[in-house]
Amino acid sequence: MKEECGVVGVLMHKADAQAKPASLQIYYALYALQHRGQESTGITVKNGDKLKSIKGMGLVPEVYSKDELLKLEGRLGVGHVRYSTTGDSNIVNCQPLMVNYKNGNLAIAHNGNLVNGEELRDELESEGRIFITSSDTEVIAHLLVKALLIHDPLESIKAVMSMLKGSYSLAIMIDDRLFAVRDPLGFKPLCVGEIDGGYVVASESVAIDTLNGKLTRDVKAGEVVEITENGFEGHQMLTEKNCAHCVFEYIYFARPDSIIDGQLVYKVREQIGRELAKEHPVDADIVSPVPDSGITSAIGYSDESGINYREGLMKNRYIGRTFILPGQEMRETAVRLKMNTIAENLKDRKVIILDDSIVRGTTSRRIIEMVRNAGAKEVHARIGSPAIIAPCYMGIDMATREELIAAQKPLDYVKNAITADSLGYLSIEGLIKSIGIDRKELCLGCLTERYPIKIVGEECSR
């Protein structure tokens, strides 16, 4: 599973812009959000009446140099890290997306996925509008430019929000103004904070922490927050009866040190492990996580069960994205390149392997086989999420329904397919309890096949 992106917006005070240019603040914030997207990144800064940008394929430290960043002079800017869900993986789709229009210019960075993106694109193309990218972010930009020719920025953003269906957390720079926008169901996280010399909007609070700033609050679902020299001003544009926060932000995507909608992700994952230990106890010698996302839950499982926590797998933290290797032997080498066993911790022991999820099952099988080959007597799989039985339409590149092993096969089949001695998924009730948010406020579509918005061919929970 992969998340598609992270967004950042920075506004520095005029007096501090020279010493602390927005470009450097955005760079460090994007570095903190690298886990949200590793395909491409971009920074766009307002300099006078012009927009200047650096974009590239690859990781944040690979794309930017200090000299280039210092040439991006200005106190206002937006940034983006991307993993593509809608739109191809190439430089054309790299964000922020910049637009010069009759009355000015704008730059937009988007985290999410529009359910009606293709429909809106068709309507705009029928009007004669030309698209350069295959990303639905350009759909939002076209709609926004149309509205800006008639309305002021706040009214324009509201008009566009009323047309969009799906998930979107946006950092938008319109002329000399910065806006944070979150969809009315609040699928994707977005927060605002204060930093020395200015203000920041970001997908996760860790970006604010990295800048030695202070988290002010989350952007509310359906809210537009305008950031000015004087601080934050919120405007509630759209309101739904309930939110639909993505549960996988808590299970997997967000960094454990992030605070999302009032919940510290670390505490949620620790509680997930505790609930798993209650729901699926097993006689074992050690609890061992699949790094990195399984670590905190494994600690919780160990604390609740009294079974010792030991690392049996070590991740190579310096490996980039591995290309597809021909042949089974080479693919197995790629798995070992990413992760290696600590045989002394595993040999002759009954091992609980704790992972965040099972999607297709192939990676779980390879990991369990590695643990067995290291000498483990038994391997018991414990999963920190319920079984994924349906695809995500809100911006997670998960898999098709046909590829999801739990959607096609019963529990015993999955257990045997991944070669585990036993398999236990966290229940939906256990997950909700761990997150600490009312069930009505969460998106559980991939776990229940009931989605919070209408999707053709799927059942709606509202």
Side-chain angles (χ1 to χ4, degrees):
M1 284 193 300
K2 299 181 186 292
E3 169 66 295
E4 82 284 7
C5 51
V7 303
V8 175
V10 167
L11 175 68
M12 302 303 294
H13 298 309
K14 293 177 182 178
D16 297 283
Q18 191 69 28
K20 296 182 177 181
S23 59
L24 286 180
Q25 308 302 313
I26 296 169
Y27 169 79
Y28 291 122
L30 291 178
Y31 217 140
L33 297 177
Q34 186 74 86
H35 59 287
R36 298 189 71 87
Q38 298 88 46
E39 284 192 351
S40 65
T41 181
I43 296 174
T44 300
V45 171
K46 178 80 170 181
N47 186 357
D49 59 353
K50 294 183 179 180
L51 299 181
K52 291 188 176 182
S53 184
I54 300 174
K55 297 180 182 180
M57 304 301 294
L59 303 176
V60 169
E62 298 170 343
V63 171
Y64 309 104
S65 70
K66 182 180 179 181
D67 290 341
E68 287 179 320
L69 286 170
L70 291 176
K71 290 177 183 178
L72 285 184
E73 296 177 349
R75 71 188 191 99
L76 173 63
V78 292
H80 193 264
V81 287
R82 183 173 191 264
Y83 172 82
S84 61
T85 53
T86 299
D88 298 329
S89 175
N90 58 52
I91 191 64
V92 173
N93 287 313
C94 183
Q95 297 183 39
L97 186 64
M98 297 183 295
V99 179
N100 293 310
Y101 66 103
K102 182 180 178 181
N103 297 338
N105 49 45
L106 66 86
I108 181 170
H110 173 210
N111 175 26
N113 196 63
L114 299 183
V115 173
N116 65 336
E118 288 299 321
E119 177 186 340
L120 292 170
R121 179 185 286 260
D122 290 342
E123 292 175 5
L124 289 163
E125 287 180 334
S126 69
E127 297 174 3
R129 296 184 179 273
I130 297 172
F131 283 79
I132 299 172
T133 77
S134 55
S135 169
D136 58 11
T137 308
E138 192 173 6
V139 171
I140 300 174
H142 272 289
L143 293 172
L144 190 53
V145 167
K146 280 183 64 178
L148 285 167
L149 295 175
I150 304 170
H151 306 292
D152 67 21
L154 280 170
E155 285 300 313
S156 297
I157 293 171
K158 182 178 180 179
V160 172
M161 290 174 71
S162 67
M163 291 183 271
L164 305 179
K165 296 178 182 177
S167 63
Y168 54 91
S169 284
L170 309 169
I172 307 175
M173 181 169 58
I174 302 176
D175 298 323
D176 294 318
R177 301 165 75 175
L178 179 62
F179 300 90
V181 183
R182 196 174 183 189
D183 69 71
L185 290 172
F187 283 106
K188 304 296 181 184
L190 195 64
C191 59
V192 292
E194 296 184 45
I195 57 177
D196 185 23
Y199 306 99
V200 61
V201 52
S203 291
E204 293 183 35
S205 62
V206 290
I208 301 172
D209 296 337
T210 299
L211 300 178
N212 197 28
K214 179 181 178 182
L215 172 65
T216 302
R217 65 177 178 87
D218 294 287
V219 178
K220 299 173 186 175
E223 184 185 26
V224 176
V225 176
E226 182 177 6
I227 298 98
T228 69
E229 186 83 10
N230 299 318
F232 309 106
E233 185 176 359
H235 306 270
Q236 192 65 43
M237 298 298 191
L238 301 175
T239 303
E240 293 282 347
K241 186 178 179 180
N242 300 109
C243 294
H245 304 310
C246 174
V247 293
F248 269 93
E249 291 288 347
Y250 299 100
I251 295 168
Y252 173 76
F253 290 125
R255 268 179 42 173
D257 46 339
S258 283
I259 297 172
I260 294 180
D261 293 305
Q263 308 297 312
L264 176 63
V265 175
Y266 187 98
K267 289 185 68 175
V268 171
R269 291 183 187 164
E270 189 176 43
Q271 189 61 35
I272 282 173
R274 291 182 180 278
E275 293 299 321
L276 261 178
K278 295 174 186 176
E279 293 181 1
H280 299 286
V282 64
D283 177 29
D285 300 309
I286 63 168
V287 181
S288 184
V290 175
D292 288 320
S293 55
I295 291 175
T296 311
S297 294
I299 292 170
Y301 194 107
S302 173
D303 287 347
E304 183 66 30
S305 65
I307 299 171
N308 288 337
Y309 173 94
R310 289 287 186 277
E311 288 183 287
L313 296 161
M314 186 58 59
K315 183 178 180 180
N316 182 350
R317 305 184 195 286
Y318 299 96
I319 188 169
R321 301 176 63 210
T322 54
F323 56 89
I324 298 173
L325 297 168
Q328 180 65 21
E329 183 178 348
M330 294 303 290
R331 283 193 290 271
E332 300 296 336
T333 300
V335 174
R336 292 192 296 271
L337 187 63
K338 291 181 178 180
M339 203 174 298
N340 192 29
T341 55
I342 305 174
E344 189 170 327
N345 286 352
L346 300 170
K347 188 176 180 181
D348 298 327
R349 285 178 168 161
K350 300 175 184 177
V351 180
I352 298 169
I353 290 293
L354 206 149
D355 204 354
D356 58 82
S357 58
I358 297 177
V359 183
R360 295 173 178 87
T362 52
T363 300
S364 298
R365 177 181 60 79
R366 288 171 183 155
I367 288 172
I368 289 173
E369 288 176 351
M370 286 173 62
V371 172
R372 287 195 190 281
N373 291 337
K377 287 198 298 184
E378 297 176 9
V379 184
H380 301 274
R382 294 296 179 266
I383 309 302
S385 72
I388 302 170
I389 60 173
C392 175
Y393 297 94
M394 307 307 160
I396 300 174
D397 184 19
M398 190 175 286
T400 64
R401 187 176 267 101
E402 291 71 29
E403 293 173 311
L404 292 167
I405 189 169
Q408 305 298 317
K409 303 295 182 181
L411 182 68
D412 281 346
Y413 178 93
V414 178
K415 176 186 73 97
N416 293 331
I418 66 174
T419 70
D421 290 288
S422 70
L423 170 63
Y425 288 99
L426 181 66
S427 68
I428 291 178
E429 292 73 20
L431 174 61
I432 294 168
K433 181 179 178 181
S434 299
I435 295 173
I437 295 176
D438 190 283
R439 182 187 183 116
K440 294 178 182 179
E441 302 293 316
L442 299 169
C443 178
L444 300 164
C446 61
L447 310 176
T448 63
E449 297 185 283
R450 291 171 59 84
Y451 297 89
I453 61 176
K454 290 182 180 179
I455 297 167
V456 177
E458 302 287 1
E459 188 176 351
C460 185
S461 61
R462 293 170 187 258

